[in-house]
Amino acid sequence: MYIEIDNVSKMYNQHSGNSVKALDGAKLNIEKGEFICLLGPSGCGKTTLLNLIAGFEKPSAGRITINGEEVKKPSIKNVTIFQNYGLLPWRTVQGNVELGLELLGLERKRVKEIAMEYIELVGLSDFRKHHPYQLSGGMQQRVAIARALAVDPDVIFMDEPFGALDAMTRMKMQDEISNISEQKKKTILFVTHDIDESVFLADRIVIMTPYPGRIKSIINVPLARKRDRTHADFLAIRDKVFMELEMKEKDKLEYYL
Ligand code: ADP
């Protein structure tokens, strides 16, 4: 197994003096190239689990390995994409995509070539001289994706990356990241609380529940890409997810309001 999460728990001490069990006995194995969505309501430990695998936090108990090596700190082989894009405002689109490649110490000509390739992949060739403030939210997130992919990472961590986007842009970005994951076969861990997003993107959906944060179940999504959000098979898996999350009819209605 490529990533092994072996009985991992995480306690946080809060200001009040109480401690919170953000994650309780998580067990999960992930294969190379899999697209995994961590899905569940707010507070169920999705971000905690992502941060533990990415090495930003240390487990209180249990062990995480990537490619056989215990995760002890963030690795330059992995990248994280956040909701707020994390772009440098004083750099152009091209400058932002080049950043990671510069940090890898590649020669200038190669840096430029690779950056151009990924700017094209995300459809921003005409905007490479623009600065982030001149771009829409969706375009800024595409720059962040191009920058992340350009360094050819082993694992991409995405924490609600489309959470700040409007519904239309969000669906477009879901299409793009789904296409990219198919083309580039990257291992992706993606946090979301959006059921449709998880069914659209994931090879497997890891369903989490809160108090304490636990992995409740894992649902396979054996649908070919590019997925049709209105197809009966898509809707059947979505219903299964609703059931696993123990959403009653009333909750389902609220989810859509
Ligand atoms: P999710 O991403 O599913 O919303 P989180 O992993 O952010 O859940 O949080 C899980 C629980 O751990 C929550 O109760 C949250 O308040 C708590 N928690 C998360 N991070 C910290 C922290 N740094 N300090 C204290 N408590 C935290």
Side-chain angles (χ1 to χ4, degrees):
M1 250 332 139
Y2 185 54
I3 301 178
E4 295 189 12
I5 297 146
D6 184 15
N7 231 337
V8 168
S9 298
K10 178 70 182 176
M11 305 285 293
Y12 285 115
N13 295 317
Q14 298 201 310
H15 295 304
S16 59
N18 298 331
S19 61
V20 174
K21 199 158 203 179
L23 195 66
D24 185 30
K27 283 186 202 151
L28 177 66
N29 290 331
I30 299 169
E31 283 181 51
K32 206 174 171 76
E34 263 196 301
F35 198 131
I36 298 285
C37 279
L38 304 176
L39 175 75
S42 195
C44 67
K46 303 182 293 294
T47 295
T48 300
L49 180 55
L50 195 82
N51 285 341
L52 287 165
I53 305 170
F56 294 125
E57 300 273 2
K58 288 198 168 64
S60 310
R63 192 165 179 265
I64 299 175
T65 57
I66 300 184
N67 216 3
E69 259 182 57
E70 184 163 2
V71 174
K72 291 192 168 150
K73 55 178 174 28
S75 161
I76 53 158
K77 291 183 197 155
N78 307 326
V79 294
T80 304
I81 299 176
F82 299 100
Q83 193 179 102
N84 59 6
Y85 322 123
L87 302 179
L88 301 179
W90 58 89
R91 283 198 171 211
T92 61
V93 166
Q94 185 181 334
N96 269 286
V97 177
E98 288 178 348
L99 185 69
L101 298 160
E102 288 168 8
L103 295 174
L104 288 179
L106 300 182
E107 59 168 295
R108 180 71 207 137
K109 189 166 157 278
R110 222 26 224 130
V111 166
K112 198 172 166 197
E113 272 170 17
I114 299 173
M116 292 304 187
E117 179 189 333
Y118 284 91
I119 290 168
E120 196 182 333
L121 180 78
V122 297
L124 289 178
S125 298
D126 290 346
F127 297 89
R128 65 189 176 83
K129 296 246 162 64
H130 285 58
H131 284 81
Y133 72 89
Q134 297 171 300
L135 306 175
S136 69
M139 290 160 95
Q140 291 187 49
Q141 191 55 289
R142 281 199 211 127
V143 179
I145 290 168
R147 184 175 66 188
L149 287 166
V151 298
D152 194 21
D154 287 343
V155 187
I156 303 177
F157 298 99
M158 303 181 91
D159 193 353
E160 303 238 17
F162 308 145
L165 304 176
D166 63 83
M168 294 292 287
T169 310
R170 190 171 179 146
M171 286 215 278
K172 243 178 125 187
M173 293 304 296
Q174 290 165 357
D175 279 340
E176 279 191 28
I177 200 73
S178 176
N179 291 340
I180 287 171
S181 90
E182 200 182 12
Q183 274 180 49
K184 300 279 171 188
K185 301 268 180 272
K186 291 283 165 200
T187 308
I188 300 180
L189 270 89
F190 189 109
V191 165
T192 182
H193 60 255
D194 182 324
I195 296 173
D196 289 43
E197 183 164 83
S198 73
V199 179
F200 189 77
L201 293 176
D203 294 320
R204 286 190 297 153
I205 303 172
V206 175
I207 300 212
M208 300 183 65
T209 47
Y211 319 115
R214 283 198 175 127
I215 295 181
K216 180 167 185 255
S217 55
I218 297 172
I219 294 185
N220 285 320
V221 189
L223 302 175
R225 299 173 194 270
K226 158 182 198 200
R227 295 180 178 165
D228 175 356
R229 298 166 207 268
T230 58
H231 194 281
D233 294 345
F234 187 97
L235 300 176
I237 292 177
R238 200 181 62 164
D239 272 352
K240 203 162 153 188
V241 175
F242 269 122
M243 264 164 59
E244 280 298 323
L245 286 166
E246 286 172 7
M247 287 176 105
K248 312 260 174 343
E249 279 304 311
K250 181 179 146 285
D251 299 330
K252 277 199 213 178
L253 280 175
E254 277 170 8
Y255 177 77
Y256 283 108
L257 290 178

